[in-house]
Amino acid sequence: MIALPQPKTDVLDRRDAVHEGLRALLPARAVITDPSRLKPYETDGLSAYRQMPLAVVLPESTEQVAAVLRFCHQNGVRVVPRGAGTSLAGGALPLADAVVVGMMRMNRILDVNYADRYAVVQAGVTNLGITKAVEADGFFYAPDPSSQLACMIGGNIGMNSGGAHCLKYGVTANNVLGIKLVTIEGEILELGGAHLDTAGYDWMGIVIGSEGQLGIATEITVRLLRAPEGTRAMLAAFKSNEIAGRCVDAIIGSGIIPVALEFMDRPAIHACEAFAKAGYPLDAEAMLIIEVEGSVEEQDSLLGRIKEICGRFDPISLKVSQSAEESAAIWKGRKGAFGAIGRISPDYLCMDGTIPTSTLPEVLRRIGEMSEQYGLGVANIFHAGDGNLHPLIMFDANNPESMHKAEAFGADILKLCVEVGGCLTGEHGVGVEKRDLMSVQFTETELDQQRRVKTAFDAGWLLNTAKVFPLKPGTDTTPAPIPHAA
Amino acid sequence: MIAPSDEAGLVAAIEAAAAARTPLTIEGLGSKAGFARPVQTAETLSTRNLTGIPLHAPQELIVSARAGTTLAALEAKLAEAGQHLIAEPPHYAFLGAEAQTVGGIIATNLSGPRRIAWGAMRDHVMGIRAVTGRAEVIRSGGRVLKNVTGLDLCKLFTGSYGTLGVMSEVTLKVLPAPEATGTVLLAGLDAATAVKALSAALGSPFSVTGAAHLPQAAAAALGHARSITIARIEDFTDSVHYRIGRLAGIWSGFGAVEQLDTTASLALWRAVRDAAPLALRDGDAVWRVSVQPSAGPAILDMARGAGLDGYLDWGGGLVFLSGPGGETAHAAIAAATRRAGGEWWLLRAPDALRHRPDALPPEPEAMAAIRRRVAAAFDPAGILNPGRLHAA
Ligand SMILES: Cc1cc2nc3c(=O)[nH]c(=O)nc-3n(C[C@H](O)[C@H](O)[C@@H](O)COP(=O)(O)OP(=O)(O)OC[C@H]3O[C@@H](n4cnc5c(N)ncnc54)[C@H](O)[C@@H]3O)c2cc1C
Ligand SMILES: Cc1cc2nc3c(=O)[nH]c(=O)nc-3n(C[C@H](O)[C@H](O)[C@H](O)COP(=O)(O)OP(=O)(O)OC[C@H]3O[C@@H](n4cnc5c(N)ncnc54)[C@H](O)[C@@H]3O)c2cc1C
């Protein structure tokens, strides 16, 4: 288990005063202190970790967020920003001495502008909620995490979330134009806007993916894109991971960038097929789902080229969808992957490293060896175009030894990702889960430089304390702020 | 000038400067010296000898270049594999430069017409190595396309004008260059109508990758008698054919639609990218303004009233302006931009304008305080390009 810092006893001692202070700032319905009502906030998508917070507040405006942060800053109280709490890295895990600022009541779409192709939304609007609001007019918001029904745009900003279609459309950072950010001092900053380029340092760039370390986003201006005329998927199955990997290289090498290029290994194919009955080939070692877009003729032309390329790699089966229904069937298994694994294993850890795509066969071989060594099953799902690997490690959370092994197995996989030239996390973030692995990827000098940027925004280290940055040895809390001066 | 040929040389130079508290001017080849505020220092540190392309993995859409590599050398290397830089960085001839470096392009975050569809330079910087003002080597990002590990310092460096550290190597996402390029063209529209046409094109399902309007004076610089409004498609040949046909249909209500082939399109969009439609006289100032697209025409009108010429890229959202650059013209542009909720850059200016206290739009005090703390976090002694972006 990963260590959390000792709560500040002086804050715990002032619990009632903190509650009173918050109630003075917000409507009664926006302050939660009753343990039974705090319970739903004690964990996030990394549910093995649980901690009841000091209080939860549910502000309804940017001004209320600013008032809460100003109060916490003045009183030395830690703050955990929270969207829908679907983080798989424990990014929204509470601390005993922290106020959780939940953004779900800020769930309004403030402006939609098709002429200039943007929308302004509050941080608690769900990812899918944006697309739902504009799809009847032919538009969409591009990043599409699998959790898009629940996760919120503010949480997407926190993690710089991606999805299956980011090979073509990019991740959150590439699709946000403006952020209203509240600092821990309660200042309201306007970063960017409805225009494309901003002068000076790229504040939006550093805030997106900062996991609630630099401030709380309350309003976000997102880019809207016009939906393509149509999309269609195909499925290609191969005799080995290596062959499938070479086929991916050949597709990209031919100049085609599919909108999605998903890879599943044998255990993933079997689990998903058992769950979704999608018609996946059970004799395959590896399978690709490839999606293209455009008019029907363009789809035919691209799928024809891709089919021809796949044909060079001795495929076990090639299935080009002929209709929207057939495409949906091809996707059905992949989209149900989490549910599928959930059915064959009581618990699973979803890992999230990125690797250079050329190393995929070696990485999968070594993950297979680790799986035997640890005695835990693993299924691999891979965003093949961009190298983002999701091994799903199956374990039993009620068995402490199994849990411990699963964490160690996961850590070994992430170390392997770094060893082959990749990184610890492609889209889920560091949170608490990967915090202590940061020194595998970064030198202490590099971590200190990142910590100094954090300090420039939050000198007292009150925002999402004990996430992202390893605690310094010999201290039981986040390290003292790094001084600026040389 | 100090021009080390390896990263250790950069470290040594910055270490010495930090110890002596001697400010350094940071440059690649100095091609964007006309940008921002002039830096006056005794010593210049250049990356011109830090050249080479240590990694190009075409199938992984990744290339790494040392910061002093010229853009031309990098583009040539990519072209061998049929690839290109996604953000289409410009070569502004009016800056007088023969060549520019990869580090310079990233430090100034300059993108061309394709930015409207595929993002800016900032969106494609996957990793950097840099030497900070503390003379420490740091890496951020890496050599993979998806990475959210830790704070994204790559983004801070993109657009930092050499004030946080000196990049020694950068890793970029690249894409296959298109097989064909096509353009639809409308002649004679006014700017407001043009932006409506561009909005219709950009709001279509056909993946427009360029959308510009050149008023008569700017169009004349490229040999057109009347204003031109243009939209671009880049794709496989059959797709370009199909999509250009569909765009022509969408635009038929605006007037007679002309279609340009790949050769004509490449030349035209290169000119738009490089600000070639600005007919510059000696001493003219050049501004670049970023606003939401529908606000572009009003900025252009206002500028015309102040005796300036210009044109629109990015569907109306990027305004290039040029002309005699007095305080009055500058104040008018700054005010109009602020009203539209956008931002401006002074790309080239007579000395009088360059010594203004701020080379960038003013920031609120809370932002300025964070900016000073962030800059000090990288360069506590304030030795890298002091005063380049802000007087304080
Ligand atoms: C008298 C004279 C005047 C000139 N005036 C101009 C002029 O006004 N405009 C012009 O364009 N050219 C001018 N030139 C030409 C110019 O000197 C070179 O020809 C130029 O080609 C190379 O520029 P660069 O792209 O490397 O960018 P640079 O201009 O060197 O750099 C642009 C910005 O990025 C920063 N930067 C560059 N590399 C890095 C890095 N690795 N890490 C961090 N930050 C970095 C710099 O500090 C600077 O703020 C002039 C030449 C002379 C002789
Ligand atoms: C089944 C499942 C599938 C998933 N699939 C994907 C996927 O395909 N791609 C992907 O990238 N992720 C995926 N995730 C992970 C998760 O959904 C994303 O990280 C998501 O962006 C989190 O959003 P949230 O609203 O739940 O935020 P939370 O989990 O509440 O918070 C996430 C982080 O952001 C911070 N934060 C929240 N709101 C704000 C704010 N307003 N301002 C500043 N910081 C804030 C929090 O402090 C925390 O650090 C998946 C998760 C699950 C459970």
Side-chain angles (χ1 to χ4, degrees):
Chain A
M1 293 291 279
I2 293 144
L4 292 177
Q6 289 297 325
K8 296 183 178 185
T9 46
D10 67 307
V11 172
L12 295 182
D13 290 346
R14 282 182 282 135
R15 174 183 300 266
D16 291 344
V18 171
H19 290 171
E20 280 315 301
L22 292 170
R23 284 202 187 88
L25 298 170
L26 301 176
R29 62 178 180 272
V31 182
I32 300 173
T33 56
D34 169 3
S36 67
R37 291 188 58 222
L38 288 177
K39 189 85 177 147
Y41 299 91
E42 70 172 351
T43 188
D44 61 9
L46 187 70
S47 55
Y49 288 80
R50 281 163 204 275
Q51 174 61 57
M52 292 283 270
L54 190 67
V56 172
V57 295
L58 306 175
E60 292 159 15
S61 68
T62 299
E63 289 67 31
Q64 289 183 5
V65 173
V68 168
L69 293 194
R70 204 174 301 123
F71 171 83
C72 289
H73 181 242
Q74 281 161 0
N75 291 281
V77 177
R78 290 170 173 157
V79 172
V80 177
R82 183 180 178 102
T86 66
S87 169
L88 293 167
L93 177 72
L95 299 169
D97 57 354
V99 172
V100 170
V101 178
M103 299 301 290
M104 54 284 269
R105 294 251 170 95
M106 291 190 66
N107 59 2
R108 284 185 303 131
I109 294 180
L110 303 176
D111 187 18
V112 172
N113 184 327
Y114 293 127
D116 289 344
R117 298 166 300 283
Y118 68 85
V120 184
V121 305
Q122 290 184 320
V125 172
T126 62
N127 173 292
L128 191 61
I130 303 176
T131 291
K132 285 282 170 217
V134 298
E135 71 183 356
D137 297 300
F139 286 80
F140 72 114
Y141 172 64
D144 59 340
S146 314
S147 52
Q148 66 178 164
L149 194 61
C151 69
M152 296 170 182
I153 186 72
N156 293 175
I157 299 267
M159 293 312 194
N160 191 11
S161 304
H165 294 84
C166 48
L167 180 56
K168 167 141 191 215
Y169 292 112
V171 294
T172 303
N174 314 118
N175 287 280
V176 167
L177 298 174
I179 296 177
K180 191 177 273 189
L181 185 82
V182 183
T183 68
I184 188 66
E185 287 158 6
E187 297 281 355
I188 299 167
L189 303 177
E190 304 270 358
L191 314 178
H195 52 295
L196 287 178
D197 270 11
T198 57
Y201 297 150
D202 184 357
W203 297 121
M204 243 181 324
I206 192 79
V207 164
I208 296 174
S210 66
E211 307 198 13
Q213 294 288 326
L214 307 184
I216 295 190
T218 58
E219 282 178 27
I220 294 102
T221 306
V222 297
R223 249 157 70 94
L224 296 178
L225 297 180
R226 177 65 195 260
E229 285 189 276
T231 62
R232 203 139 40 104
M234 67 173 280
L235 182 161
F238 300 92
K239 289 181 185 147
S240 75
N241 292 330
E242 205 219 324
I243 295 173
R246 279 197 281 125
C247 182
V248 169
D249 277 359
I251 294 169
I252 304 243
S254 77
I256 299 173
I257 303 295
V259 275
L261 188 43
E262 297 284 298
F263 177 113
M264 295 162 73
D265 71 356
R266 185 183 183 89
I269 297 168
H270 280 249
C272 293
E273 178 58 21
F275 181 66
K277 308 272 180 296
Y280 291 168
L282 295 175
D283 50 346
E285 285 299 320
M287 191 187 100
L288 300 177
I289 297 175
I290 307 159
E291 185 173 276
V292 299
E293 58 184 28
S295 68
V296 173
E297 295 74 22
E298 288 178 303
Q299 295 167 14
D300 281 339
S301 156
L302 283 173
L303 290 172
R305 283 168 202 246
I306 294 170
K307 196 173 164 191
E308 187 273 318
I309 294 168
C310 292
R312 289 183 232 150
F313 294 89
D314 192 18
I316 291 175
S317 73
L318 283 180
K319 187 155 82 188
V320 176
S321 143
Q322 301 302 332
S323 65
E325 294 71 40
E326 284 184 35
S327 291
I330 288 176
W331 272 110
K332 192 173 160 210
R334 166 66 184 85
K335 290 198 167 154
F338 292 111
I341 304 293
R343 231 178 53 149
I344 58 173
S345 170
D347 299 280
Y348 62 88
L349 272 184
C350 175
M351 308 310 293
D352 168 51
T354 307
I355 56 173
T357 50
S358 58
T359 65
L360 180 69
E362 185 202 340
V363 168
L364 291 186
R365 186 180 51 74
R366 286 176 62 186
I367 290 178
E369 287 167 11
M370 292 177 198
S371 166
E372 291 193 5
Q373 209 179 307
Y374 282 103
L376 294 176
V378 64
N380 289 288
I381 294 165
F382 183 53
H383 302 302
D386 51 35
N388 193 189
L389 182 66
H390 292 311
L392 298 160
I393 300 173
M394 297 168 237
F395 72 106
D396 178 0
N398 290 325
N399 173 347
E401 198 198 322
S402 170
M403 161 98 192
H404 177 75
K405 274 191 185 167
E407 286 193 336
F409 183 3
D412 281 351
I413 291 176
L414 297 185
K415 286 178 193 159
L416 173 61
C417 291
V418 174
E419 181 196 317
V420 299
C423 65
L424 295 174
T425 171
E427 59 181 14
H428 294 170
V430 177
V432 284
E433 185 206 21
K434 304 172 199 85
R435 185 194 70 194
D436 294 348
L437 290 170
M438 287 288 273
S439 42
V440 174
Q441 186 172 330
F442 294 108
T443 64
E444 201 55 27
T445 304
E446 289 163 344
L447 286 174
D448 276 345
Q449 189 56 58
Q450 294 185 32
R451 288 185 178 113
R452 274 185 211 103
V453 173
K454 154 80 170 166
T455 303
F457 281 82
D458 174 21
W461 282 65
L462 295 174
L463 280 164
N464 228 0
T465 315
K467 316 277 174 70
V468 183
F469 302 105
L471 308 185
K472 286 235 165 161
T475 65
D476 56 4
T477 68
T478 299
I482 310 287
H484 281 119
Chain B
M1 173 185 298
I2 316 169
S5 56
D6 59 15
E7 193 178 72
L10 283 182
V11 173
I14 294 177
E15 209 161 42
R21 305 219 156 212
T22 340
L24 293 171
T25 293
I26 306 304
E27 66 174 41
L29 293 167
S31 73
K32 272 158 254 50
F35 274 28
R37 292 164 49 81
V39 180
Q40 265 143 17
T41 61
E43 194 60 272
T44 293
L45 177 60
S46 166
T47 60
R48 63 179 63 227
N49 292 327
L50 277 170
T51 58
I53 299 172
L55 170 76
H56 180 204
Q59 279 78 3
E60 295 176 6
L61 307 175
I62 277 287
V63 71
S64 299
R66 299 214 171 81
T69 309
T70 63
L71 201 56
L74 178 59
E75 286 173 335
K77 173 80 180 175
L78 293 174
E80 284 170 20
Q83 295 190 324
H84 68 185
L85 291 174
I86 306 168
E88 205 177 7
H91 303 251
Y92 294 143
F94 60 80
L95 293 178
E98 299 265 300
Q100 44 190 349
T101 64
V102 174
I105 274 289
I106 292 169
T108 50
N109 188 25
L110 281 177
S111 316
R114 205 178 290 120
R115 197 255 183 270
I116 185 93
W118 283 95
M121 277 317 292
R122 77 184 272 275
D123 292 296
H124 310 122
V125 179
M126 297 294 119
I128 58 165
R129 289 181 69 94
V131 183
T132 65
R134 316 169 66 90
E136 292 172 342
V137 176
I138 58 163
R139 299 158 308 154
S140 183
R143 55 142 307 187
V144 288
L145 300 185
K146 253 167 103 187
N147 187 344
V148 297
T149 323
L151 296 182
D152 188 358
L153 303 185
C154 299
K155 291 279 188 332
L156 267 188
F157 269 77
T158 314
S160 66
Y161 290 81
T163 60
L164 300 176
V166 182
M167 288 176 272
S168 54
E169 189 176 309
V170 299
T171 300
L172 300 172
K173 177 179 179 180
V174 294
L175 279 178
E179 192 176 87
T181 302
T183 304
V184 282
L185 183 152
L186 287 163
L189 300 188
D190 62 65
T193 312
V195 166
K196 290 201 178 81
L198 295 175
S199 178
L202 288 163
S204 79
F206 304 115
S207 296
V208 167
T209 68
H213 169 71
L214 280 52
Q216 192 176 10
L222 303 185
H224 293 264
R226 295 191 291 159
S227 82
I228 60 170
T229 303
I230 50 179
R232 175 174 70 176
I233 301 282
E234 299 172 286
D235 214 311
F236 290 108
T237 307
D238 43 359
S239 274
V240 169
H241 209 76
Y242 165 72
R243 290 173 183 231
I244 285 291
R246 294 296 303 269
L247 281 182
I250 290 176
W251 274 9
S252 58
F254 289 96
V257 183
E258 207 182 311
Q259 303 186 9
L260 307 186
D261 65 8
T262 295
T263 312
S265 294
L266 290 178
L268 177 58
W269 288 99
R270 193 174 307 119
V272 171
R273 179 192 76 184
D274 294 347
L278 299 178
L280 293 176
R281 289 145 301 204
D282 274 356
D284 276 358
V286 179
W287 292 265
R288 186 176 177 268
V289 172
S290 171
V291 287
Q292 70 185 74
S294 56
I299 304 266
L300 211 50
D301 278 353
M302 177 283 305
R304 201 167 297 140
L308 306 173
D309 281 321
Y311 70 97
L312 305 174
D313 193 1
W314 297 355
L318 181 66
V319 192
F320 284 96
L321 297 171
S322 68
E327 274 294 339
T328 327
H330 182 74
I333 291 170
T337 307
R338 185 173 345 104
R339 273 197 306 279
E343 303 184 51
W344 51 263
W345 293 258
L346 195 48
L347 291 197
R348 191 178 88 168
D351 279 351
L353 274 182
R354 290 187 66 204
H355 286 86
R356 296 172 45 77
D358 278 306
L360 300 175
E363 334 151 272
E365 183 43 39
M367 192 77 254
I370 292 176
R371 190 251 306 158
R372 283 186 211 105
R373 293 200 294 264
V374 167
F378 287 87
D379 178 20
I383 52 165
L384 303 179
N385 276 348
R388 175 97 172 147
L389 295 180
H390 301 270

